[in-house]
Amino acid sequence: MKNISEFILILMAVITLTRGAEEIYAQEGGNITLRPPASADLQSHYVYWYVNGKECALCNPLGRREVTEGFTNRLFLSDGCLLTITNFSKEYYGIASCEVKLLRVTQATVVYEVLKVTVNMNSLSPLLHGETLSLVCDPQTPQSGKKPHIHWLSPQGEKMKNQGQLTVRAEAQYNGTWTCVVSSDGKESTAKISVMVLDLSPAPSSPQYTSESSPLNIPCLIPEHISWEQMKAKGIQGGHWTFIPKPGTTPTSADPQRLFYLSLEDPISWKEVEAKKLTLADPKTKNLSLTRNKGSNKDGGDYVCTLEFKNSANLSRTVHVEVLQITASPGTELISGQRLNLTCGVGHPLPSNLHLKWSPPKQSPLSLTPDRHPPHLTIPEVGRGDGGKWRCELRQNSTSLCSADITLKIEPRVSVWMLVIIISVAVIVILLLILVFILCRRRQRKTRHLRHRLCQCKNPKPKGFYRT
Ligand SMILES: *[C@@H]1O[C@H](CO)[C@@H](O)[C@H](O)[C@H]1NC(C)=O
Ligand SMILES: *[C@@H]1O[C@H](CO)[C@@H](O)[C@H](O)[C@H]1NC(C)=O
Ligand SMILES: *[C@@H]1O[C@H](CO)[C@@H](O)[C@H](O)[C@H]1NC(C)=O
C-alpha cells in the first residue's frame, strides 16, 4: 500500500514536472527554504512535505509541526509550514514536494526540482592585491533544459556585470564572502564562496598634517583578518619604509631614502637605516605606522610602506605628509612700530575643506572676525602687546588637525624726540661739568693771588720806603 502511494506520488511529481516544477538550486553544505502552495490554509489543512517521494514533515491544523524521524537533524519547519533543509547533501537533490489536504483529499500541490549549483575559485587562495580573481558558478541544467540566469554579488553586495564566470583584479574590498545568485522564473537561489585577498589597509585619502608642535603619525596597517602566517605562506620576502622628500625642502635632492626595512627572521622586527627619530610598533601587532611625538620642517613628503612578495609582487601604501609652518617677515625679533607679515600654511593653497584659526597672544590688540582667518596677516605697526606666542591651527570643520607656534619678541622703539632729549641732557651735563671745572680753576687762581698779597704784608717793607 505504502509502495503504491509512493509510486503514485513520484508519478504525480513527474507529471507535474512536465508541466513545469519550480526549479531551486542548492549548494552542497548550504541551506534552502521551500514554501507550501500559496493556497494552503494552515487553520484547516494538513500540509505534507516529501523529499524524493519520502514523507519527511507535516503541519496539522492544530499547529503541530512534525519532522519525520531520520530527518530531524537536517529539516526544520518554521511559521507558515516553510521547510528548511540545512547542510545540504547529495541525497536531498531531486524532487521535493508539498501536498495540502483536507479530509484526505488533495487540495493543492507544489513540486520543486532541487538542482545542484557549484561555485569554485580558479585561483590560488589567498590572493595578493592585483592578482586575478576568477570565480565560476555552475548550476545543473534542469529537466526543462531552460538555463537559469546567473549573477555575482561582491562581499559588499555590489552586483557584478559578469555572468557565470567572474574575472576581476583582486582588491581589498573583494575579501570576504561572494554570492552567486541563480534565478529562474523570478525565484532566486544563492551559493556562497569565501575569498581571501591579502592587502594593506587603505591609506588615508587626504594628507597627514604635522608641525614642530604637533605629533607626526604615518599610518600603515595590516587588516585584522590577515595574519603574518598567511603572508609567509604567500611568499613574503621583506618590507620597508621609504621617504621621498617634498621637492625643495632639502637643497640636495628629492631622492627616495630608505628609512627602515623589515627583517623576517624570527622574531620579525624593524631595522633602522636612516635616523629620523621615527618610531614603530612591534610588527607582530600588524601596526606598521611610523610616529614621532613632534614633527619637523623636514618631514614633508611621501612615505611609502611596502611589503615585498616573491615574483616581484608588492603591497604598498603611500602616505602624503604636509608640514604646517608660520613664517614671520621680516623676522621674529622686532622693534615696536615695525610692519609685520605673518604667514601660516603648508607651502601651497589649502584644500577648500580646511581652514585656519589664528590665536594671537592674549594682550594683542589684533582682532579677527571668527569666520575670517586668512593665511597672511599684516600688522602695519607691531606694539609691545603683539609679543609672545602666536598659534595657527589647521582645522577641518571644528576638529583641529594640527597647530604651529611662533614666538615674537618686540623691543620698545627709541623715538627721535627721545634721542633729542637724551642728547640735550648729555650736552647740558657736559656743559655743566665744563662750567664747574672753569669755576673751580678760577677760584683756585683767586686764592693763590690773595695768599700772595698776604705774604707781602707779612714781610714789612724797609723803613726807607716809608714816606717821611
Ligand atoms: C599604531 O601604532 C601607533 C603608535 O606606534 C598608534 O599611535 C596608533 O594609534 C596605532 N594604530 C592602531 C590602529 O592601532
Ligand atoms: C608684507 O606683505 C605686503 C603685501 O601683503 C608686502 O607688500 C610687504 O612688502 C610685506 N612686508 C614684508 C616686511 O615682508
Ligand atoms: C564637515 O562638515 C560637512 C558639512 O558642513 C560634512 O559634510 C563633512 O562630513 C564634515 N566633515 C567632517 C570630517 O566632520
Side-chain angles (χ1 to χ4, degrees):
M1 184 66 192
K2 196 152 181 260
N3 280 349
I4 292 171
S5 73
E6 246 175 47
F7 173 74
I8 291 169
L9 252 173
I10 292 176
L11 194 70
M12 229 177 64
V14 171
I15 292 165
T16 330
L17 263 184
T18 54
R19 293 208 309 265
E22 283 197 30
E23 287 146 13
I24 187 156
Y25 295 84
Q27 181 183 18
E28 263 193 69
N31 300 342
I32 61 165
T33 296
L34 304 173
R35 293 184 158 276
S39 62
D41 174 9
L42 298 167
Q43 307 295 320
S44 54
H45 294 153
Y46 279 80
V47 179
Y48 294 88
W49 280 104
Y50 305 88
V51 169
N52 289 327
K54 285 191 200 125
E55 188 188 314
C56 59
L58 90 91
C59 301
N60 76 10
L62 299 173
R64 196 165 69 103
R65 297 176 198 155
E66 195 176 284
V67 175
T68 313
E69 233 182 276
F71 292 96
T72 45
N73 57 347
R74 286 294 194 57
L75 306 193
F76 299 94
L77 288 167
S78 52
D79 285 349
C81 205
L82 268 61
L83 181 75
T84 299
I85 309 174
T86 61
N87 192 11
F88 216 89
S89 57
K90 279 202 282 298
E91 64 268 28
Y92 291 93
Y93 290 112
I95 303 294
S97 59
C98 180
E99 270 191 54
V100 176
K101 290 187 183 174
L102 181 64
L103 303 170
R104 291 175 169 268
V105 182
T106 302
Q107 306 291 310
T109 310
V110 63
V111 178
Y112 293 99
E113 185 182 5
V114 185
L115 298 149
K116 187 169 182 168
V117 57
T118 49
V119 285
N120 282 306
M121 176 150 78
N122 286 351
S123 350
L124 278 177
S125 186
L127 291 154
L128 274 187
H129 177 276
E131 285 184 334
T132 304
L133 165 62
S134 175
L135 297 173
V136 184
C137 183
D138 184 19
Q140 199 185 340
T141 308
Q143 300 253 330
S144 65
K146 206 170 69 184
K147 287 235 159 80
H149 181 263
I150 301 164
H151 70 260
W152 280 99
L153 296 179
S154 78
Q156 277 75 35
E158 178 198 356
K159 187 171 170 177
M160 308 301 281
K161 288 193 196 79
N162 311 53
Q163 298 281 305
Q165 168 142 12
L166 173 111
T167 309
V168 287
R169 252 169 59 95
E171 286 177 33
Q173 88 237 35
Y174 291 162
N175 182 82
T177 304
W178 284 80
T179 309
C180 169
V181 181
V182 183
S183 37
S184 78
D185 295 328
K187 275 188 74 80
E188 291 192 339
S189 311
T190 58
K192 294 179 189 298
I193 186 166
S194 79
V195 169
M196 173 162 286
V197 179
L198 301 187
D199 203 358
L200 294 166
S201 294
S205 55
S206 51
Q208 295 295 100
Y209 292 94
T210 187
S211 77
E212 286 187 328
S213 47
S214 301
L216 173 63
N217 181 23
I218 308 161
C220 181
L221 301 165
I222 297 174
E224 265 319 296
H225 64 269
I226 298 170
S227 67
W228 281 113
E229 281 62 44
Q230 286 161 330
M231 298 267 200
K232 281 178 186 158
K234 194 66 192 176
I236 189 169
Q237 307 278 297
H240 50 83
W241 265 111
T242 304
F243 172 52
I244 304 156
K246 188 176 175 173
T249 22
T250 37
T252 48
S253 71
D255 284 344
Q257 301 166 9
R258 193 57 65 90
L259 301 176
F260 290 92
Y261 74 87
L262 191 66
S263 157
L264 294 173
E265 274 166 37
D266 205 40
I268 186 163
S269 61
W270 287 107
K271 302 272 184 261
E272 190 170 33
V273 184
E274 170 91 18
K276 259 173 88 71
K277 292 189 176 143
L278 288 157
T279 55
L280 282 151
D282 182 349
K284 278 210 199 74
T285 61
K286 298 191 281 173
N287 179 349
L288 314 180
S289 311
L290 286 177
T291 54
R292 199 191 309 114
N293 59 356
K294 291 273 184 291
S296 115
N297 291 342
K298 288 181 188 153
D299 288 338
D302 287 331
Y303 293 78
V304 189
C305 167
T306 307
L307 294 179
E308 293 167 326
F309 291 82
K310 63 171 188 242
N311 304 329
S312 53
N314 274 348
L315 295 180
S316 86
R317 288 288 177 269
T318 302
V319 182
H320 188 61
V321 171
E322 299 266 22
V323 183
L324 186 74
Q325 253 179 298
I326 305 181
T327 50
S329 167
T332 54
E333 291 188 11
L334 300 145
I335 294 166
S336 74
Q338 263 190 302
R339 183 191 177 86
L340 169 69
N341 287 350
L342 287 176
T343 305
C344 176
V346 295
H348 55 80
L350 289 169
S352 59
N353 60 335
L354 302 184
H355 62 269
L356 298 171
K357 184 176 179 286
W358 285 96
S359 309
K362 265 196 223 74
Q363 70 280 15
S364 168
L366 184 80
S367 66
L368 291 159
T369 44
D371 58 331
R372 239 189 72 80
H373 285 241
H376 303 284
L377 288 184
T378 298
I379 303 166
E381 286 190 11
V382 288
R384 304 229 28 209
D386 294 318
K389 194 195 266 181
W390 289 72
R391 170 161 289 189
C392 166
E393 243 179 293
L394 183 64
R395 291 177 160 227
Q396 181 166 32
N397 292 356
S398 54
T399 47
S400 171
L401 299 179
C402 81
S403 67
D405 295 337
I406 196 168
T407 304
L408 297 183
K409 228 171 122 183
I410 317 276
E411 296 293 344
R413 168 165 54 171
V414 185
S415 73
V416 177
W417 280 113
M418 264 164 86
L419 263 179
V420 169
I421 292 167
I422 289 167
I423 292 169
S424 315
V425 168
V427 167
I428 290 168
V429 167
I430 291 166
L431 284 177
L432 278 174
L433 282 175
I434 293 171
L435 197 69
V436 167
F437 180 74
I438 292 170
L439 284 177
C440 272
R441 285 294 290 264
R442 275 186 70 171
R443 229 186 115 165
Q444 261 178 7
R445 214 177 290 158
K446 230 178 178 171
T447 34
R448 211 181 299 148
H449 190 65
L450 207 69
R451 209 185 293 150
H452 194 64
R453 271 184 36 197
L454 279 173
C455 281
Q456 277 182 337
C457 298
K458 253 187 188 162
N459 311 327
K461 282 180 185 170
K463 278 215 171 116
F465 276 85
Y466 286 90
R467 244 181 253 171
T468 45

